[in-house]
Amino acid sequence: MARRLTAIGFDADDTLWHNEQFFRMTQARFAELLADHADPDHLDERLLAAERRNLGHYGYGIKGFMLSMIETAIEVTEARVPASVIGEIIAAGQEMLRHPIELLPHAREAVEAASDAGFRVVLITKGDLLDQERKLAQSGLGELFDGVEIVSEKTPDIYARIFSRHGSGPEQAMMVGNSMKSDVLPAIAAGGWGVHVPHDLAWELEHADPPGDRTRFRELAHLGELPALLQQFL
Amino acid sequence: MARRLTAIGFDADDTLWHNEQFFRMTQARFAELLADHADPDHLDERLLAAERRNLGHYGYGIKGFMLSMIETAIEVTEARVPASVIGEIIAAGQEMLRHPIELLPHAREAVEAASDAGFRVVLITKGDLLDQERKLAQSGLGELFDGVEIVSEKTPDIYARIFSRHGSGPEQAMMVGNSMKSDVLPAIAAGGWGVHVPHDLAWELEHADPPGDRTRFRELAHLGELPALLQQFL
């Protein structure tokens, strides 16, 4: 590991703070609301299909999730769902948009270690613009980041652009996140390092296999292991 | 006008391309769908109230507009709106997300003039991340911009940060847009120039009076007048 690093990117949702659990809770509430119309497994499947279908229009985030839930509710009930249930779905989504941030273990310590070691530290996240900003503000981690990039998709090109803007290019950058598909693989494809910190909950659309070439790939059990990894680059 | 400019910011919606007209058309369709339940004026009022109430959660853009329409439909019908109507509202919103871009007169010419004159040219827009990116890609203007900033709010701080990143600070920057409230006033408050190019349609929540101090304020009838204004800064 002779080559020096200049920038460390951190994913936000389910890397620094809990996120997927709020989607799961809301989805459970959704299943409850539609219990008379669809069994939960079938409903999950239809919702996932709607999310997949709508991703190109809505992008990532809670607002699109709300709209896909409403669409699915109409679909599975063949338009017999009462408006009051739609109202409850909206209320559940708005609840998500207000949920307080809970940092994951070692999140602050990991970001501080990267910052203290002199790396440019960048938050790189998908989702609704305002909602991601709110969560960052609430997290109390804002002042540790040199840059914040809320993007519509995490592609190799996007990583190359971000790490050129905030560091000295993707080859000298490391992306840390829970999504193999969005955080690890495209950062490695851009020429950088990809560090996977798995979270026990993952959205089905974020699934991917680890990279074949593991030269620039690392897997950590949790963020508490990041400071020691960064030491190797100093 | 001795002080040189280094950066020109352009607003997107209703400055470079049509936008508000699609909201108006959808709102007319919304009124049609709910014609049996509410008169159009009352409905507009309730929808505006919902948009205002939800702005802090949803931010700007079409997805939030869709959710506010659905909420309003439930509200004005006291939850008697049929699910099929909600389905139609979603369809109308998705239609908006697909609408083709129509450039406003002189849009390309104005951005090209700013770019050719050697200014750093930045697109600065609010709204849904993915939707704004889609529109920029479709506009064919993408390659003219040195930077693209999709933001959740247009405040003096945001302008200061953007014009420091892309130029030499807000004092040597000019923001061009159709919204007095979002484009002109905060850019001037940040220390820069604000150029108002009115559009005949404006969303009620974007209304504001012109600045009292007009030193750094200009008003243009259309973007075709921008090249001549920029000449004065060379």
Side-chain angles (χ1 to χ4, degrees):
Chain A
M1 299 201 196
R3 192 189 294 253
R4 250 184 72 66
L5 281 183
T6 57
I8 313 288
F10 283 93
D11 170 55
D13 292 339
D14 292 319
T15 297
L16 297 178
W17 51 67
H18 287 288
N19 178 62
E20 182 64 19
Q21 71 177 39
F22 297 106
F23 280 85
R24 299 287 172 103
M25 280 165 51
T26 306
Q27 210 162 324
R29 172 87 185 112
F30 178 62
E32 227 175 81
L33 287 166
L34 292 170
D36 294 343
H37 301 279
D39 79 291
D41 283 355
H42 178 63
L43 191 66
D44 283 1
E45 219 172 82
R46 298 292 287 269
L47 177 56
L48 190 68
E51 291 184 88
R52 202 188 298 271
R53 185 168 69 231
N54 291 328
L55 201 55
H57 294 306
Y58 296 156
Y60 298 90
I62 293 173
K63 289 183 289 182
F65 180 59
M66 291 166 74
L67 289 165
S68 288
M69 282 194 290
I70 296 169
E71 189 178 319
T72 304
I74 298 171
E75 211 180 86
V76 299
T77 62
E78 290 167 336
R80 285 189 309 267
V81 59
S84 59
V85 168
I86 310 268
E88 298 257 22
I89 294 171
I90 292 180
Q94 292 194 342
E95 189 66 26
M96 287 180 80
L97 288 166
R98 276 191 301 261
H99 77 76
I101 276 298
E102 287 171 53
L103 289 185
L104 279 157
H106 309 289
R108 168 171 282 275
E109 164 195 342
V111 182
E112 273 176 353
S115 175
D116 290 350
F119 298 113
R120 299 275 300 170
V121 184
V122 189
L123 187 80
I124 306 175
T125 175
K126 294 182 303 193
D128 288 322
L129 208 48
L130 187 65
D131 187 43
Q132 297 305 84
E133 289 177 357
R134 170 190 74 87
K135 290 190 284 190
L136 177 61
Q138 275 190 15
S139 75
L141 302 179
E143 83 289 351
L144 294 172
F145 291 101
D146 299 295
V148 175
E149 298 282 349
I150 303 169
V151 296
S152 64
E153 198 55 88
K154 287 175 162 177
T155 62
D157 274 2
I158 297 275
Y159 281 116
R161 210 195 49 198
I162 291 175
F163 287 126
S164 297
R165 179 189 272 185
H166 294 286
S168 50
E171 292 80 10
Q172 297 181 295
M174 173 186 282
M175 181 66 194
V176 179
N178 75 303
S179 170
M180 197 68 85
K181 182 176 172 197
S182 295
D183 301 318
V184 175
L185 298 183
I188 292 175
W193 293 82
V195 176
H196 190 220
V197 188
H199 186 275
D200 55 351
L201 299 176
W203 187 33
E204 201 156 333
L205 297 185
E206 288 294 340
H207 179 77
D209 291 325
D213 177 355
R214 299 194 164 215
T215 321
R216 285 179 161 242
F217 171 70
R218 293 293 178 276
E219 178 119 18
L220 304 179
H222 54 74
L223 280 177
E225 297 181 357
L226 188 71
L229 175 64
L230 294 180
Q231 279 301 319
Q232 301 174 27
F233 287 85
L234 292 177
Chain B
M1 297 202 195
R3 190 188 297 251
R4 250 183 72 66
L5 280 184
T6 57
I8 313 289
F10 284 92
D11 171 55
D13 293 340
D14 293 319
T15 296
L16 297 179
W17 51 66
H18 287 287
N19 179 61
E20 182 65 19
Q21 71 177 37
F22 298 104
F23 280 84
R24 298 289 172 100
M25 280 164 51
T26 306
Q27 209 162 325
R29 172 88 185 111
F30 178 61
E32 227 174 82
L33 286 166
L34 293 170
D36 294 343
H37 301 279
D39 78 291
D41 283 354
H42 178 64
L43 190 66
D44 283 0
E45 219 171 82
R46 299 292 286 271
L47 177 57
L48 190 68
E51 290 183 89
R52 201 189 299 269
R53 185 167 70 230
N54 291 328
L55 201 54
H57 295 305
Y58 296 156
Y60 298 90
I62 293 174
K63 289 183 288 182
F65 180 58
M66 291 167 73
L67 289 165
S68 287
M69 281 193 291
I70 296 170
E71 187 177 320
T72 304
I74 298 172
E75 210 180 86
V76 299
T77 63
E78 290 167 338
R80 284 188 309 266
V81 59
S84 59
V85 168
I86 309 266
E88 298 257 21
I89 294 171
I90 292 180
Q94 291 195 342
E95 187 68 26
M96 286 180 80
L97 288 167
R98 276 191 301 262
H99 77 76
I101 276 297
E102 287 171 53
L103 289 184
L104 280 158
H106 310 288
R108 169 171 280 276
E109 161 194 344
V111 181
E112 274 176 351
S115 174
D116 290 349
F119 298 113
R120 301 274 300 170
V121 184
V122 190
L123 187 80
I124 307 174
T125 175
K126 293 182 305 194
D128 288 322
L129 208 49
L130 186 65
D131 187 44
Q132 297 304 86
E133 289 178 356
R134 171 189 74 86
K135 290 190 283 189
L136 177 60
Q138 275 190 16
S139 75
L141 302 179
E143 83 289 353
L144 295 172
F145 290 101
D146 299 295
V148 174
E149 299 282 349
I150 303 170
V151 296
S152 64
E153 198 55 90
K154 287 176 161 176
T155 62
D157 274 2
I158 297 275
Y159 281 116
R161 209 194 52 197
I162 291 175
F163 287 126
S164 297
R165 178 189 274 186
H166 294 285
S168 50
E171 293 79 9
Q172 296 181 294
M174 172 186 282
M175 181 66 194
V176 180
N178 74 302
S179 170
M180 196 68 85
K181 183 176 171 198
S182 295
D183 302 317
V184 175
L185 298 182
I188 292 174
W193 293 82
V195 176
H196 190 221
V197 188
H199 185 277
D200 54 352
L201 299 176
W203 187 33
E204 201 156 332
L205 297 186
E206 287 294 340
H207 179 78
D209 291 327
D213 177 354
R214 301 197 161 211
T215 321
R216 286 179 160 241
F217 170 70
R218 294 294 180 276
E219 178 120 18
L220 304 179
H222 55 75
L223 280 178
E225 297 180 357
L226 188 70
L229 176 64
L230 294 180
Q231 279 300 320
Q232 301 174 27
F233 286 85
L234 294 177

